[in-house]
Amino acid sequence: MGDMSKKYEEYTITKDGQLMLAKAEKEQIETAWDRLQAQLPQCGYCELGLSCRNCSMGPCRVDPFGEGPQKGVCGADADIIVARNFGRMIAAGAAAHSDHGRDLVEVLANVAEGKAPGYEIKDPEKMKRVAAEFGVDTKGKDTLQIAQELADAMQEEYGTRKKRLQFVSRVPQKRLDTWEKLGIVPRGIDRETSEMMHRTHMGVDNDWQSLLLHGLRNALSDGWGGSMIATEVSDILFGTPSPVTSAINMGVLKEDHVNIIVHGHNPVVSEMICQATEDEDLVQLAKDKGAKGINLAGLCCTGNELLMRRGIPMAGNHLMTELVIVTGAVEMILVDYQCIMPALGHVAKCFHTKMISTSDKAKFPEMEHREFHPENARELARELVREAVENFERRIPERVYIPVEPIKTMSGFSVEAILHALGGTPDPLIEAIKTGKIRGAVGVVGCNNPKIKHDYGHVTLTRRLIENDILVVDTGCAAIANAKAGFKVPEAVELAGPGLREVCGALGIPPVLHVGSCVDNVRILVLAAALANALGVDISDLPLAGAAPEWYSEKAVSIAVYVVGSGIFTVLGTTPPILGSMNVVKMATEGLNDVIGATLAVEPDPEKAAILIRRHIEKKRAGLGLPSIEV
Ligand code: SF4
Ligand code: MSK
């Protein structure tokens, strides 16, 4: 496979990816890269955001060269069409994260009612803290009673009756003042998404600026609402992460074990699968079938959830999800929702791998649907693990190819864990920033996209940042890329600049901290708010930035917009479909600075993105009166 894999160096920087792409080619298995080629050239109107199909007078398009039509049938021009399309991307992303949060709140309520065997409250102390924020009186009440009242209060967040979301109380006052002045304080989680869909219906909001403002509010209802609920309730139910060591890349699959993989985003199913793989009778069954045991691994953000909390090994990120099946070593993949390519079932058909969909809202071609609910989760998880074990006999050993050895990685850096590592307060971090040992911090987040060389954007940007004494916190598929590159072990401080090396070395932590899955980007917001409050400044004054070098999903758009709305400059590696409107582009990349104190930038080259970010960080340092350098 070695020679054949050379040509795939253009597709991915990862050895396992290159080798598996070569195997896929040899076995004539189609991947996302092949399908991208088949799509080229992609529609230019859509790329620019200039096509609209919001009603049946259309579909319409606006000619970017000024020669063809300049307005849709209804009269919408380029600015309106681009802003409406962008707004709908935000709404879809916010809806995905927030509905994920709602599912967790429902499990919390079921636990409280005793209807979720196998689930429990793993972090009652955190639950009490969050309950207090929601005004739940915890005195004299037992854990389940508090869980019920907190679940009820959280469900209220989704509706329309409130004037502002509860977690807005975590926002520094100066930031909140800005939101109030602009009228973008998020009210109800579903309300803001629903209002975006209303505004973008034909004949409603036809002012591109007002559409963009609501885009900010909608995204903030995700960041400080739905996603924040998802993260906090996951911690309450499954435990708040603390540092843990594990392994990563396709080498985590084991030739002599039954391999089961969980993929998607919501830990509700995977936590139960994890428990079942440890059941002694099922492990014994695996041994009876000739395997040495049961090996559980993760993909994408469901994998991140298990890695963060339980140190379960991680097989790969978004673009590795098809290739992992091509190893021929996987007995079963269980998916929940989000980022699951509908191609997976077709790839699995070429192997013995069983594909199982588990969510009532996410069904896929060529997958067997076995629906999980809190009441049946424990039993169904056992049933499915048993079936995976039985499937081991169908594996064809000659087709098995596990291409690399795993890499060590450290994970589990929740805000609580970071503060603990710092000795209980953010002061040492603030001190290191003040002296310039750490120049600033950057969240490197987001997906893979076959339009960008796989993992190249994440790894190159992160490498340049840490070399220049900038602490990186990462989530999602970016976090997986950086772990595969070896950045997440304490020894990786050797790759960092002298200041960051000294600080991380003294604390025994890597220079790149894994803070979780996509919804866990809110941990970065919470940390940023804590730093701003400690310094008595706005988040936008801090030497911070965000980056999504290889993003593809609508959720990433919502994240980018709520990060900017929270005051953090953010660089995107792929261009969002807004280039058809210079007004929207100028507002996003310049004008927002006066409005909200932060902007978006687009820079596909991660080397240049690193320079942009370093300049921004030095500018913010100078603004705070801290020593700064020329970049
Ligand atoms: Fe065309 Fe306007 Fe209908 Fe969009 S809303 S499809 S621009 S007529
Ligand atoms: S899984 S949203 S590809 S980060 Fe969260 Fe990865 Fe992006 Fe999905």
Side-chain angles (χ1 to χ4, degrees):
M1 229 68 75
D3 281 351
M4 269 176 82
S5 73
K6 274 238 156 288
K7 75 187 230 207
Y8 293 109
E9 286 173 5
E10 284 309 303
Y11 285 34
T12 170
I13 63 166
T14 62
K15 202 71 212 154
D16 52 355
Q18 291 162 10
L19 289 164
M20 293 317 296
L21 276 165
K23 184 171 192 267
E25 182 190 328
K26 196 163 149 235
E27 299 189 2
Q28 297 186 321
I29 293 162
E30 182 189 86
T31 67
W33 284 278
D34 301 316
R35 292 189 294 274
L36 173 63
Q37 289 304 316
Q39 285 291 335
L40 296 178
Q42 288 175 314
C43 172
Y45 294 106
C46 293
E47 270 184 344
L48 298 172
L50 285 174
S51 52
C52 179
R53 50 177 178 74
N54 287 10
C55 84
S56 92
M57 291 191 283
C60 304
R61 74 222 180 276
V62 165
D63 186 303
F65 304 109
E67 287 161 14
Q70 292 301 294
K71 286 183 178 161
V73 176
C74 67
D77 61 13
D79 295 334
I80 296 170
I81 291 177
V82 166
R84 278 198 309 218
N85 288 338
F86 195 57
R88 285 194 169 201
M89 285 185 94
I90 296 169
H97 284 146
S98 301
D99 203 37
H100 164 172
R102 182 191 346 251
D103 286 341
L104 284 155
V105 175
E106 282 179 359
V107 173
L108 183 66
N110 274 288
V111 170
E113 288 166 22
K115 291 185 190 156
Y119 296 98
E120 58 182 317
I121 309 292
K122 282 256 176 67
D123 192 342
E125 286 313 309
K126 178 154 191 172
M127 182 172 75
K128 276 190 201 155
R129 291 199 302 275
V130 176
E133 286 186 69
F134 276 80
V136 173
D137 183 6
T138 57
K139 267 197 224 99
K141 290 179 186 158
D142 70 22
T143 305
L144 295 186
Q145 209 175 342
I146 299 169
Q148 182 67 66
E149 289 182 33
L150 178 59
D152 287 347
M154 283 180 160
Q155 263 151 354
E156 285 289 308
E157 296 285 290
Y158 284 85
T160 58
R161 289 175 53 196
K162 302 186 77 166
K163 289 212 168 68
R164 69 161 62 162
L165 297 179
Q166 189 54 48
F167 284 133
V168 167
S169 60
R170 294 179 172 186
V171 176
Q173 191 56 46
K174 287 187 180 163
R175 183 85 331 224
L176 188 53
D177 292 345
T178 305
W179 293 357
E180 269 167 354
K181 207 168 78 204
L182 292 169
I184 59 166
V185 179
R187 298 158 295 180
I189 296 167
D190 290 347
R191 175 178 188 165
E192 307 308 354
T193 291
S194 176
E195 186 172 316
M196 179 59 86
M197 297 310 285
H198 179 195
R199 281 175 184 247
T200 52
H201 186 279
M202 200 312 264
V204 186
D205 196 354
N206 285 286
D207 178 317
W208 62 270
Q209 284 166 308
S210 128
L211 281 163
L212 292 183
L213 269 183
H214 188 69
L216 282 168
R217 189 178 220 175
N218 195 174
L220 292 173
S221 77
D222 172 2
W224 297 88
S227 279
M228 207 166 272
I229 285 179
T231 292
E232 299 299 50
V233 178
S234 294
D235 285 357
I236 289 168
L237 284 171
F238 307 121
T240 303
S242 58
V244 60
T245 301
S246 185
I248 196 155
N249 77 24
M250 247 181 242
V252 303
L253 298 178
K254 293 183 180 166
E255 202 160 346
D256 50 10
H257 278 61
V258 172
N259 290 304
I260 300 178
I261 288 188
V262 283
H263 173 25
H265 280 78
N266 194 322
V268 163
V269 171
S270 50
E271 282 282 339
M272 281 301 121
I273 296 293
C274 189
Q275 284 183 27
T277 58
E278 288 161 5
D279 285 353
E280 271 173 30
D281 58 329
L282 294 173
V283 175
Q284 187 53 50
L285 183 66
K287 289 180 179 161
D288 296 345
K289 298 280 174 196
K292 287 210 172 123
I294 305 173
N295 180 40
L296 180 68
L299 282 170
C300 284
C301 284
T302 283
N304 278 325
E305 299 275 357
L306 288 184
L307 174 60
M308 284 281 287
R309 293 197 178 84
R310 290 175 172 259
I312 297 295
M314 167 71 83
N317 48 11
H318 181 55
L319 279 175
M320 302 301 273
T321 56
E322 291 177 291
L323 297 178
V324 95
I325 301 172
V326 181
T327 61
V330 182
E331 274 56 57
M332 182 178 280
I333 299 187
L334 297 112
V335 304
D336 50 87
Y337 44 53
Q338 297 168 17
C339 303
I340 295 144
M341 292 195 223
L344 292 188
H346 297 285
V347 178
K349 278 269 156 209
C350 307
F351 296 89
H352 75 300
T353 309
K354 278 190 153 198
M355 299 295 303
I356 309 290
S357 56
T358 59
S359 162
D360 57 345
K361 56 188 97 172
K363 297 186 178 178
F364 299 85
E366 306 292 358
M367 290 196 196
E368 195 180 322
H369 190 68
R370 306 280 287 276
E371 215 162 282
F372 270 69
H373 296 281
E375 316 84 58
N376 74 353
R378 179 76 182 109
E379 260 328 290
L380 184 52
R382 279 182 51 78
E383 227 173 84
L384 285 166
V385 169
R386 177 182 296 277
E387 288 173 29
V389 169
E390 278 160 1
N391 199 26
F392 183 70
E393 287 174 336
R394 291 180 57 238
R395 190 194 282 185
I396 303 170
E398 301 75 49
R399 290 191 75 193
V400 172
Y401 177 53
I402 299 170
V404 289
E405 288 299 315
I407 296 267
K408 214 171 111 187
T409 188
M410 196 172 177
S411 175
F413 289 95
S414 56
V415 175
E416 291 84 341
I418 293 174
L419 290 177
H420 181 75
L422 292 169
T425 77
D427 293 350
L429 180 58
I430 290 172
E431 212 33 53
I433 291 174
K434 279 186 176 165
T435 59
K437 283 183 184 163
I438 295 180
R439 307 214 66 78
V442 176
V444 180
V445 310
C447 327
N448 300 135
N449 184 329
K451 293 177 177 177
I452 290 196
K453 194 194 287 188
H454 171 237
D455 285 0
Y456 173 73
H458 301 306
V459 170
T460 310
L461 176 65
T462 301
R463 189 188 300 279
R464 294 292 169 253
L465 295 175
I466 60 173
E467 276 173 5
N468 287 286
D469 288 328
I470 293 168
L471 178 71
V472 170
V473 286
D474 60 10
T475 63
C477 290
I480 303 169
N482 284 336
K484 280 187 284 178
F487 295 159
K488 295 221 188 102
V489 280
E491 304 83 65
V493 289
E494 292 309 319
L495 302 168
L500 185 62
R501 191 184 314 148
E502 185 190 321
V503 177
C504 292
L507 295 169
I509 57 172
V512 182
L513 302 179
H514 185 192
V515 300
S517 64
C518 297
V519 290
D520 293 337
N521 282 310
V522 302
R523 298 193 201 273
I524 301 175
L525 294 184
V526 171
L527 196 58
L531 291 178
N533 284 334
L535 286 166
V537 298
D538 193 353
I539 295 176
S540 58
D541 298 322
L542 297 170
L544 303 178
E550 303 178 31
W551 74 275
Y552 89 87
S553 84
E554 290 162 318
K555 291 179 295 164
V557 174
S558 177
I559 293 166
V561 175
Y562 77 61
V563 170
V564 169
S566 301
I568 301 174
F569 170 64
T570 298
V571 184
L572 302 175
T574 38
T575 314
I578 59 171
L579 293 186
S581 163
M582 268 311 114
N583 278 329
V584 172
V585 169
K586 276 195 160 167
M587 175 57 82
T589 57
E590 293 170 24
L592 272 183
N593 219 9
D594 298 330
V595 182
I596 202 93
T599 56
L600 276 175
V602 178
E603 180 46 73
D605 180 348
E607 298 281 3
K608 291 184 186 157
I611 292 171
L612 264 183
I613 288 172
R614 288 179 56 212
R615 283 196 187 129
H616 168 81
I617 281 179
E618 294 304 329
K619 201 170 99 195
K620 291 293 169 185
R621 291 185 60 85
L624 286 171
L626 302 177
S628 63
I629 53 173
E630 191 85 20
V631 177

